[in-house]
Amino acid sequence: MHQHRNPHQSPPRSTAASFTAVLLILILGGLGGLGGLAGCADQDQPDGAPGTPGAAGVGDPYFPHLGNGGYDVTHYGLTLDYDPATGRLDATAAITARATQRLSAFNLDLAGLTVGRVTVDGARAGVRRADTELTVRPRADIGRGATFRTVVRYSGVPRTLTDADRTREGWLRSGKRSVALGQPRGSMAWFPGNHHPSDKAAYDIRITVPKGQQAISNGELTSERTVGGRTAFGWHCAEPMASYLATVAVGPYRTKISQDATDSTSPTRSTGPTRSTGGIPVHTAVDPTVAAGSAGLIARIPAIMKWGEKTFGPYPFSSTGVIIGRPGDADYNLETQNRPFLPGPSGIGILVHELAHQWFGNSVTPKSWRDIWLSEGFAEYAEWLWAEAMDGVPASRAFDRAYADDENWAFPPAEPPTAADISARPVYGRGAMVLHQLRLAVGDDAFFALVRGWTRAHRHGNASTADFTAFAQRRTDRDLTALWDAWLYGSEKPPPPDA
């Protein structure tokens, strides 16, 4: 995300205990009771004990009710039929998950919309709604470790949500154009799910819109078919994705299809991807009203990708690109997975920032929203590094500007005081300063080796601030405690650094 500042088990049972349980069943129920034992593999509860509901929330420090306990989602299959003229969405979400406890019920996050039929493994399930919590009660308990498939049919006009910092997210509609942006909780406005960044999954998203409109999403375009005046676009995202990074953009987009991002374009349909210098497909989509002003920016993507792989390590996804809408289509730029969304053409620094997020935020995703500086601090520092590498402007110059900016000292980057502060300046600017101080402390060679090691060690996973500080400390003989205390956690502005 790039800001627009304004003025932008129980332990396993012993063999003896298991034998005793089996013997008791034989005594009380006869040999016929053995049939029930075959399907009971739970280790967290005694045999025959009823399941319990999964938690309604994972206890995030800023969004305690966001996400849900008792299961991990492995795949979302979203089938969306959207009418831009009315804003109505008719949809089905097929959610494949693995139970982490024996479940009698579980929750999904969903804001607004009308829920129809819900099934679990093909059987009709009970449903109860309370605010953004959708409680699903399957016909029978789901065993711990079992994989199960929930299908939710739902419809309505998706909401635009307003964050604590007064920015808009969710489903943003402007005339016949719309874009779905989810940081930090907006994805619940258009599909039910486990909407916390700690639960990442693969996605298949199929969007049907009127012929002549484009529907852009994450991953790679796998199908495009027009029937009866409506076109269905199929998108596949194989790498794990946090739900806040999922997107759908609907509108008369033009797509870029050339080998080097300078060849021909298609004004009305996606006929194929371009490829970056490293062979990564580049899917781009640009609103026709800003196409001319976006061409130069798009042409820089291969160079940014090549520099990013050299600086941060191998690119973690199977495609890249950008979606460029119109100014006003959103309040901010967002690092939606594979291709960020920009509300209008930006400067090169913003594109560098959002593409750097593919490593920091999208592949290495925060464990909780308190760890967001690991995304934004790295992305802002990427802007400093790009200017240093491409324009000869030392990162120290950007550091000095950030140090002099009073906004960066409102709170420590690792401890935003409220949900409204997770996108405030200290998370970005002071987060970048932490990294620059780390670089000065360990030296360039060790720092960049550390960065590449970090993206490799946590590729497609989640990481916390504690994970990062421990990782860094293991890679240097210098005690970094004072650095973290002053720059990452300190409430006071440290004295000016020597370098």
Side-chain angles (χ1 to χ4, degrees):
M1 185 173 182
H2 196 287
Q3 302 163 311
H4 281 294
R5 298 197 62 184
N6 294 322
H8 196 204
Q9 48 191 280
S10 325
R13 296 185 296 274
S14 68
T15 301
S18 297
F19 177 79
T20 301
V22 172
L23 182 60
L24 182 60
I25 290 171
L26 288 173
I27 293 171
L28 297 178
L31 289 173
L34 285 174
L37 287 175
C40 187
D42 292 353
Q43 298 296 309
D44 58 331
Q45 295 169 297
D47 288 331
T52 56
V58 298
D60 187 274
Y62 306 114
F63 308 96
H65 300 297
L66 198 63
N68 303 285
Y71 65 94
D72 289 320
V73 179
T74 58
H75 180 265
Y76 289 94
L78 306 179
T79 303
L80 314 174
D81 194 303
Y82 182 63
D83 184 354
T86 64
R88 180 178 174 84
L89 178 69
D90 291 282
T92 300
I95 306 167
T96 303
R98 183 184 61 82
T100 59
Q101 68 178 65
R102 188 174 182 85
L103 286 170
S104 61
F106 58 92
N107 280 25
L108 299 169
D109 303 314
L110 182 65
L113 302 168
T114 299
V115 174
R117 181 181 175 91
V118 178
T119 63
V120 177
D121 289 335
R124 188 73 176 260
V127 176
R128 180 173 57 84
R129 295 200 71 174
D131 195 19
T132 60
E133 296 292 338
L134 177 67
T135 302
V136 178
R137 186 170 293 277
R139 183 171 297 180
D141 286 358
I142 301 168
R144 181 186 181 192
T147 296
F148 62 101
R149 186 173 186 264
T150 304
V151 177
V152 181
R153 291 176 173 81
Y154 60 102
S155 61
V157 177
R159 294 180 180 178
T160 296
L161 307 180
T162 302
D163 289 337
D165 63 0
R166 299 185 179 181
T167 57
R168 299 174 300 149
E169 60 169 330
W171 194 272
L172 309 182
R173 184 180 173 210
S174 179
K176 293 185 178 182
R177 293 167 168 85
S178 62
V179 61
L181 300 178
Q183 185 172 321
R185 59 191 185 93
S187 292
M188 71 167 72
W190 59 283
F191 69 96
N194 201 7
H195 290 299
H196 189 266
S198 59
D199 193 1
K200 301 166 72 170
Y203 282 72
D204 282 282
I205 303 177
R206 180 180 175 87
I207 320 109
T208 301
V209 294
K211 181 181 178 180
Q213 295 281 299
Q214 291 283 308
I216 315 299
S217 190
N218 310 92
E220 290 74 55
L221 182 66
T222 58
S223 65
E224 179 180 345
R225 184 183 181 193
T226 300
V227 177
R230 294 182 66 77
T231 304
F233 298 85
W235 293 86
H236 175 65
C237 185
E239 297 92 355
M241 176 168 68
S243 65
Y244 79 91
L245 300 169
T247 190
V248 169
V250 176
Y253 289 96
R254 297 180 179 179
T255 59
K256 195 78 175 181
I257 62 172
S258 64
Q259 176 70 20
D260 60 0
T262 60
D263 290 349
S264 62
T265 61
S266 169
T268 59
R269 63 187 300 271
S270 301
T271 57
T274 65
R275 289 192 173 271
S276 74
T277 303
I280 301 166
V282 181
H283 296 260
T284 63
V286 185
D287 192 282
T289 62
V290 296
S294 302
L297 188 66
I298 289 174
R300 303 297 297 277
I301 293 176
I304 297 172
M305 296 302 300
K306 183 176 181 180
W307 170 81
E309 289 197 307
K310 179 180 178 181
T311 307
F312 309 132
Y315 182 66
F317 300 110
S318 50
S319 66
T320 187
V322 68
I323 305 169
I324 304 179
R326 303 171 303 174
D329 283 348
D331 299 333
Y332 48 82
N333 309 283
L334 188 64
E335 64 274 16
T336 43
Q337 193 153 300
N338 303 99
R339 54 199 56 86
F341 180 84
L342 311 181
S346 70
I348 186 67
I350 290 177
L351 184 58
V352 168
H353 180 113
E354 301 304 338
L355 289 176
H357 270 308
Q358 305 304 313
W359 285 266
F360 308 105
N362 299 12
S363 177
V364 185
T365 303
K367 278 186 179 176
S368 83
W369 285 109
R370 178 173 285 161
D371 305 306
I372 188 63
W373 83 274
L374 286 170
S375 298
E376 301 300 350
F378 265 110
E380 179 131 333
Y381 198 54
E383 295 185 61
W384 301 5
L385 294 175
W386 171 268
E388 187 172 71
M390 300 298 162
D391 303 323
V393 179
S396 59
R397 191 174 301 176
F399 176 93
D400 291 342
R401 288 195 301 268
Y403 183 86
D405 186 347
D406 289 342
E407 286 188 54
N408 284 320
W409 303 102
F411 57 83
E415 296 178 339
T418 71
D421 300 305
I422 64 172
S423 293
R425 280 308 303 162
V427 172
Y428 293 70
R430 188 169 167 186
M433 282 191 275
V434 171
L435 298 172
H436 190 67
Q437 286 299 300
L438 178 60
R439 179 183 174 185
L440 295 178
V442 303
D444 277 13
D445 290 346
F447 175 77
F448 287 106
L450 185 156
V451 169
R452 290 187 289 270
W454 174 250
T455 62
R456 180 173 61 251
H458 294 278
R459 181 182 176 100
H460 300 316
N462 294 88
S464 67
T465 298
D467 292 329
F468 179 73
T469 56
F471 185 92
Q473 185 62 75
R474 289 194 299 268
R475 279 151 182 80
T476 180
D477 293 332
R478 176 169 178 173
D479 186 353
L480 299 174
T481 303
L483 189 157
W484 307 134
D485 287 348
W487 295 93
L488 185 56
Y489 291 107
S491 57
E492 301 296 327
K493 185 175 182 178
D498 296 331

